[in-house]
Amino acid sequence: MRRWKPFPSAGRWLALALALVFSAGSLFFGWLCAQRFSGLAADWSIDLDFFLRFLCFLAMVFLAGTSWMRFIQVVSLWYGLDRNVVYIGSLGNQEMVPLDDIVRLDFGVRVDGLPVQIIQGIGCYWGTGNSADSASVMVRSTIPPRRCIFIVTHKGTYAISPDEIEIFVQELEQRRHLGATKQHSIEVVYGPWFNTPFWNDISSIYLLIIALVLNIFAFGVLARYFPQLPAQIEMRFDAVGGVSELRPRHQALFLPLAAFGVTLVNMFGAMVFFRYEKLVARMLQGASVVVQILFSVAVIMIVRA
């Protein structure tokens, strides 16, 4: 099998620059947040200003992670060609397009509807869009789709951008005319590095987002009222709603932290089970949402007591 690198573009360097900037921002806001936890636990300065800094820290972490992922995606992108299959590889995954399924090659096709348009071109152009005739187009390139090669098959179209594009087209056409020696079908072989099927599952992602939003909400409510809480707070309640124990107020911060830990454990469990049983994985994610609701209620009871 012969491999081609993707056409060189400035997108990878843009992704790297953004990743470094957002990583530095994460460290800066993380340092600002850490300052509030200096000294004794009773002296921790937790308030709405701290929560806003914490939100900035989370935003920087998310943007840094997204930028690093886009950079790794484009750095690991490659195209391959053998007697039977065109390969598209990235992040350890391989998409296989049999030569027998290729109807024609095309150029200059307009593609609309690529997901998250704002990040297209940062690192690479990636996602599934639609052409003018409403056919699905899987974009896997480092340059805008209008400049790509379009491999049209019976089941969809692939937009790619190999370097030395003329040689790639010549070899592809030669091998198509020779004919395949083995029968293959269009498939995706997932690598061990990233649990791509889990992250492509809409239900799992929505449940994870809901759980994290509830966790942030609970922490925000606690941060808003933390300065007004007494030194000893009512944290546990018995079956009839009476106070069972008083605890130092800083221990209330452990509630959203514990809920986040449960969500994290459930997420890793869901990633493991997703390869074998999707329903169990989604149930774990749903359990995270339930846990977050219960912990949020506990936080609200504390600040209202």
Side-chain angles (χ1 to χ4, degrees):
M1 178 179 66
R2 180 175 177 181
R3 290 196 179 196
W4 275 264
K5 294 181 179 180
F7 190 85
S9 68
R12 71 172 60 193
W13 306 118
L14 175 59
L16 178 60
L18 291 175
L20 293 174
V21 169
F22 291 136
S23 296
S26 301
L27 293 175
F28 174 72
F29 283 105
W31 173 73
L32 290 179
C33 292
Q35 285 186 317
R36 298 298 188 95
F37 294 97
S38 60
L40 299 175
D43 299 327
W44 287 353
S45 178
I46 308 298
D47 52 21
L48 193 57
D49 179 65
F50 166 80
F51 179 65
L52 294 177
R53 296 184 182 188
F54 180 68
L55 287 181
C56 291
F57 167 73
L58 293 180
M60 289 293 107
V61 169
F62 173 77
L63 292 173
T66 301
S67 299
W68 280 117
M69 182 59 67
R70 300 289 292 188
F71 177 72
I72 296 172
Q73 193 172 43
V74 68
V75 168
S76 61
L77 178 61
W78 59 274
Y79 308 107
L81 181 63
D82 64 15
R83 182 67 183 271
N84 305 295
V85 176
V86 175
Y87 298 89
I88 305 171
S90 182
L91 297 176
N93 306 321
Q94 289 186 16
E95 297 180 68
M96 303 170 60
V97 184
L99 298 184
D100 284 346
D101 284 352
I102 297 177
V103 177
R104 67 180 187 277
L105 300 182
D106 209 341
F107 297 89
V109 177
R110 177 177 175 178
V111 179
D112 298 315
L114 283 177
V116 198
Q117 285 287 343
I118 193 172
I119 66 173
Q120 295 295 336
I122 299 176
C124 56
Y125 292 82
W126 200 276
T128 301
N130 298 300
S131 61
D133 57 358
S134 299
S136 296
V137 180
M138 281 68 76
V139 179
R140 312 285 189 260
S141 72
T142 55
I143 56 179
R146 63 180 180 275
R147 296 167 52 195
C148 292
I149 303 174
F150 290 84
I151 301 177
V152 182
T153 72
H154 295 97
K155 297 182 179 180
T157 301
Y158 295 83
I160 62 175
S161 59
D163 198 8
E164 300 178 329
I165 185 171
E166 295 85 359
I167 299 177
F168 179 87
V169 171
Q170 290 175 6
E171 293 203 15
L172 176 57
E173 292 290 7
Q174 288 174 1
R175 299 187 190 206
R176 286 184 63 203
H177 285 104
L178 289 174
T181 58
K182 292 182 180 180
Q183 294 295 321
H184 293 271
S185 59
I186 294 178
E187 63 175 326
V188 180
V189 179
Y190 294 107
W193 301 345
F194 299 93
N195 198 319
T196 307
F198 173 82
W199 295 111
N200 287 341
D201 183 63
I202 300 299
S203 298
S204 297
I205 296 303
Y206 280 166
L207 289 171
L208 180 59
I209 290 174
I210 292 172
L212 293 177
V213 168
L214 288 172
N215 186 254
I216 295 172
F217 166 77
F219 187 71
V221 170
L222 190 58
R224 167 64 178 82
Y225 293 99
F226 191 83
Q228 303 171 20
L229 295 178
Q232 299 290 321
I233 59 174
E234 305 169 354
M235 283 196 63
R236 295 185 180 179
F237 301 86
D238 58 26
V240 296
V243 178
S244 63
E245 190 173 352
L246 295 176
R247 292 292 185 88
R249 68 173 183 173
H250 72 271
Q251 292 192 12
L253 298 173
F254 298 153
L255 290 175
L257 183 62
F260 176 75
V262 171
T263 298
L264 199 62
V265 171
N266 284 357
M267 183 189 73
F268 284 115
M271 291 173 66
V272 172
F273 280 106
F274 196 85
R275 294 180 180 271
Y276 312 104
E277 184 54 61
K278 294 182 180 180
L279 179 59
V280 175
R282 290 166 181 163
M283 288 177 64
L284 284 172
Q285 294 294 82
S288 295
V289 175
V290 175
V291 168
Q292 293 293 348
I293 292 174
L294 294 177
F295 274 85
S296 297
V297 172
V299 167
I300 294 173
M301 291 177 67
I302 287 174
V303 300
R304 294 186 61 183

